[in-house]
Amino acid sequence: MQFQRGSEELFPSVSSAPYIMSTTANGNDSKKFKGDIRGPGVPSRVIHIRKLPTDISEAEVISLGLPFGDVTNLLMLKAKNQAFLEMNSEEAAQNMVGYYSTLVPIIRHHPVYIQFSNHKELKTDNSPNQERAQAALRALTSSHVDGVVVAPSTVLRVVVENLIYPVTLDALCQIFSKFGTVLRIIVFTKNSQFQALLQYAEGASAQSAKLSLDGQNIYNGCCTLRISFSKLTSLNVKYNNEKSRDFTRPDLPSGDSQPTMEHPGMTAFTPGIISAGPYGGAAHGFPPAFTLQPTMSSHYPGLVPGMPGGLAALSLPGASRLGFPHISAGVSVLLVSNLNPERVTPHCLFILFGVYGDVMRVKILFNKKENALVQMSDCTQAQLAMSHLSGQQLHGKPLRITPSKHTSVQLPREGHEDQGLTKDYSNSPLHRFKKPGSKNYSNIFPPSATLHLSNIPPSVVEDDLKMLFSTSGAMVKAFKFFQKDHKMALIQMGSVEEAIESLIEFHNHDLGENHHLRVSFSKSSI
């Protein structure tokens, strides 16, 4: 694809005032537009998108923003191969820019670049081009789902055609939860086809998911999604296992069906819709979505290595991150950067990364204390930690995580003091996964504002735990003991960042009576 002349350059002048659209009769929107010259990027609700294909549609641009929140306005500058997208909140825009800074979206085999705009809002007129953009917005965004186009149901029926690779309940959850809260899901085989019924909390989420995902491939060139609204208005789930899940009822039994421990040829979740290679997306169907290109190359376009054991059946509800670059076999050391040098310690990285695997060693770099090396026990655990924690806020800064070129973390030589910046945890009693087949494998979830607490002694009551978690200055929004087992509870913090710092601070906290608190991220909210 040839870019139009000048489209590879940023606009030559800056205006921080809202843009008022002024188009010429031939629709050349860019002539009177004053655009962005950007520094590192001050957060704004308005996103600047560059290097778009010449034949880009409004629906495709909107679909870049939909997984992160409602899109409230759109300005297309087709002559410049650019567009401006206004999100409903600055937080949604920050999530979008943070996500695409790790994974460059690919539209028709070309990378597209996304950054904050200098504009704080978009003001558009009623020119023909803008009327088309507004019509696309009304059709595609949940904020415009009104009585006329309200979703017929919150339940979607999903059929997976051309099933070459196994598709799990958890893979579907990860894909569909980008569009809203998934309450319940059931997977089954009918007429020799793999199918699922999936219930959202809101009809708008179901509408948005159907528009964006129908006709898309989960993996490159196969596992095509065919989505329709179900006649059912709700799903009745009796068991939480690999065939059915009710995220509102974590107390449900698993039933007779045990989660499958081995999936021969199982591929982890790097869908064609959000793909590790440039050839994902639907062979046909509307709208042609985009793929995401990891910042490192993959030998297996669209696939990442199979996850052995219970790791094949990870549950990833909530706003999970899809399709991170995969780690080459044998790489178990991660480079963690953009740390807060004033606050980071080896212990805090050990506890946080320990949620996703057994941390062997941690080294904070002596001359660059905003960087650290974290050695996991194997490459699968390193992949899990990287995909779940990349972009998450720690001590006020988003984590950047990439595979390291080092094969192990070296300990300082005897007699060489490194101010406690290198720690060996290989014999730590706090490893969560050292027992083969540990149930902790099936309880790995993305960071969330709600924490799961366990190993609570009988004498500790709700107020004790709420007070403990607020001592760090964090806000406790809700608390709930499990009905059948008061050794476990859910506690909801004010934000995901507060939950991350609370987990670091209070995991293994001594509650007395020889009980040390166990803290992990929850798949449920209160």
Side-chain angles (χ1 to χ4, degrees), residues 326-355:
H326 88 263
I327 292 181
S328 306
V331 175
S332 60
V333 181
L334 299 171
L335 172 63
V336 185
S337 55
N338 202 37
L339 294 163
N340 184 331
E342 307 297 318
R343 297 185 61 188
V344 71
T345 62
H347 175 77
C348 93
L349 295 175
F350 166 68
I351 295 293
L352 179 58
F353 281 72
V355 172

Side-chain angles (χ1 to χ4, degrees), residues 261-398:
M261 296 302 284
E262 292 291 345
H263 284 283
M266 169 65 192
T267 53
F269 331 117
T270 310
I273 346 169
I274 300 192
S275 159
Y279 304 106
H284 48 85
F286 170 84
F290 49 92
T291 59
L292 294 178
Q293 178 66 29
T295 46
M296 56 186 283
S297 64
S298 162
H299 298 296
Y300 306 97
L303 308 178
V304 301
M307 291 183 170
L311 297 177
L314 297 181
S315 219
L316 294 165
S320 12
R321 291 160 158 67
L322 303 188
F324 272 83
H326 88 263
I327 292 181
S328 306
V331 175
S332 60
V333 181
L334 299 171
L335 172 63
V336 185
S337 55
N338 202 37
L339 294 163
N340 184 331
E342 307 297 318
R343 297 185 61 188
V344 71
T345 62
H347 175 77
C348 93
L349 295 175
F350 166 68
I351 295 293
L352 179 58
F353 281 72
V355 172
Y356 300 105
D358 293 337
V359 177
M360 298 292 110
R361 292 177 181 173
V362 177
K363 179 190 284 286
I364 294 172
L365 304 190
F366 187 79
N367 293 324
K368 289 185 179 174
K369 292 194 172 65
E370 61 277 8
N371 296 320
L373 295 172
V374 176
Q375 181 179 340
M376 308 298 289
S377 68
D378 62 44
C379 60
T380 302
Q381 293 183 359
Q383 172 74 51
L384 278 170
M386 182 169 74
S387 60
H388 283 83
L389 295 175
S390 287
Q392 296 290 350
Q393 296 275 336
L394 176 63
H395 305 138
K397 301 184 76 175

Side-chain angles (χ1 to χ4, degrees), residues 417-465:
E417 179 53 52
D418 76 342
Q419 299 175 356
L421 296 175
T422 307
K423 294 284 183 188
D424 184 358
Y425 296 103
S426 51
N427 295 314
S428 171
L430 294 184
H431 286 162
R432 297 179 190 238
F433 305 98
K434 60 185 172 192
K435 287 182 188 163
S438 163
K439 65 180 180 187
N440 289 331
Y441 279 120
S442 57
N443 291 319
I444 296 175
F445 303 109
S448 64
T450 306
L451 297 170
H452 180 278
L453 313 180
S454 59
N455 205 32
I456 302 166
S459 62
V460 171
V461 296
E462 178 176 331
D463 283 348
D464 297 330
L465 289 163

Side-chain angles (χ1 to χ4, degrees), residues 486-504:
H486 268 228
K487 292 182 192 151
M488 294 195 290
L490 297 177
I491 188 165
Q492 187 178 338
M493 310 306 294
S495 66
V496 176
E497 185 177 2
E498 283 189 356
I500 287 172
E501 296 195 16
S502 298
L503 181 143
I504 290 167

Side-chain angles (χ1 to χ4, degrees), residues 71-375:
V71 178
T72 50
N73 211 342
L74 169 67
L75 171 63
M76 299 289 285
L77 299 178
K78 289 193 177 182
K80 289 274 190 183
N81 301 86
Q82 306 192 12
F84 287 79
L85 204 62
E86 181 186 275
M87 302 301 290
N88 64 331
S89 70
E90 201 171 281
E91 183 186 12
Q94 283 180 304
N95 287 341
M96 179 176 169
V97 172
Y99 185 70
Y100 292 132
S101 67
T102 314
L103 289 159
V104 178
I106 303 288
I107 299 182
R108 284 191 279 301
H109 317 328
H110 285 270
V112 171
Y113 297 98
I114 290 175
Q115 63 195 32
F116 291 116
S117 167
N118 284 334
H119 303 283
K120 292 300 176 192
E121 62 177 320
L122 288 179
K123 287 187 179 173
T124 50
D125 66 10
N126 55 1
S127 68
N129 279 358
Q130 281 313 108
E131 282 181 2
R132 194 169 63 240
Q134 296 305 312
L137 272 173
R138 283 192 294 276
L140 281 172
T141 59
S142 58
S143 63
H144 293 93
V145 174
D146 53 30
V148 183
V149 289
V150 72
S153 172
T154 58
V155 180
L156 294 176
R157 177 172 170 263
V158 181
V159 176
V160 184
E161 296 178 351
N162 194 16
L163 189 74
I164 291 179
Y165 300 107
V167 173
T168 64
L169 174 150
D170 299 303
L172 291 175
C173 279
Q174 187 185 18
I175 294 162
F176 280 84
S177 62
K178 292 296 290 181
F179 297 89
T181 303
V182 175
L183 298 182
R184 299 171 190 90
I185 182 169
I186 300 167
V187 297
F188 54 94
T189 302
K190 184 178 177 183
N191 303 331
S192 303
Q193 283 185 313
F194 180 82
Q195 301 192 25
L197 290 167
L198 183 138
Q199 183 184 351
Y200 278 107
E202 296 176 5
S205 302
Q207 185 95 307
S208 187
K210 181 180 182 299
L211 275 166
S212 295
L213 298 177
D214 187 27
Q216 298 298 322
N217 295 330
I218 298 180
Y219 301 108
N220 286 321
C222 65
C223 302
T224 306
L225 294 169
R226 301 288 173 214
I227 302 170
S228 57
F229 286 106
S230 170
K231 293 190 176 87
L232 298 170
T233 53
S234 183
L235 298 180
N236 182 20
V237 172
K238 294 177 180 173
Y239 303 110
N240 283 336
N241 54 38
E242 86 284 8
K243 297 287 184 196
S244 61
R245 196 81 50 81
D246 186 337
F247 295 111
T248 68
R249 295 280 311 279
D251 54 319
L252 286 178
S254 62
D256 298 327
S257 174
Q258 291 302 310
T260 310
M261 296 302 284
E262 292 291 345
H263 284 283
M266 169 65 192
T267 53
F269 331 117
T270 310
I273 346 169
I274 300 192
S275 159
Y279 304 106
H284 48 85
F286 170 84
F290 49 92
T291 59
L292 294 178
Q293 178 66 29
T295 46
M296 56 186 283
S297 64
S298 162
H299 298 296
Y300 306 97
L303 308 178
V304 301
M307 291 183 170
L311 297 177
L314 297 181
S315 219
L316 294 165
S320 12
R321 291 160 158 67
L322 303 188
F324 272 83
H326 88 263
I327 292 181
S328 306
V331 175
S332 60
V333 181
L334 299 171
L335 172 63
V336 185
S337 55
N338 202 37
L339 294 163
N340 184 331
E342 307 297 318
R343 297 185 61 188
V344 71
T345 62
H347 175 77
C348 93
L349 295 175
F350 166 68
I351 295 293
L352 179 58
F353 281 72
V355 172
Y356 300 105
D358 293 337
V359 177
M360 298 292 110
R361 292 177 181 173
V362 177
K363 179 190 284 286
I364 294 172
L365 304 190
F366 187 79
N367 293 324
K368 289 185 179 174
K369 292 194 172 65
E370 61 277 8
N371 296 320
L373 295 172
V374 176
Q375 181 179 340

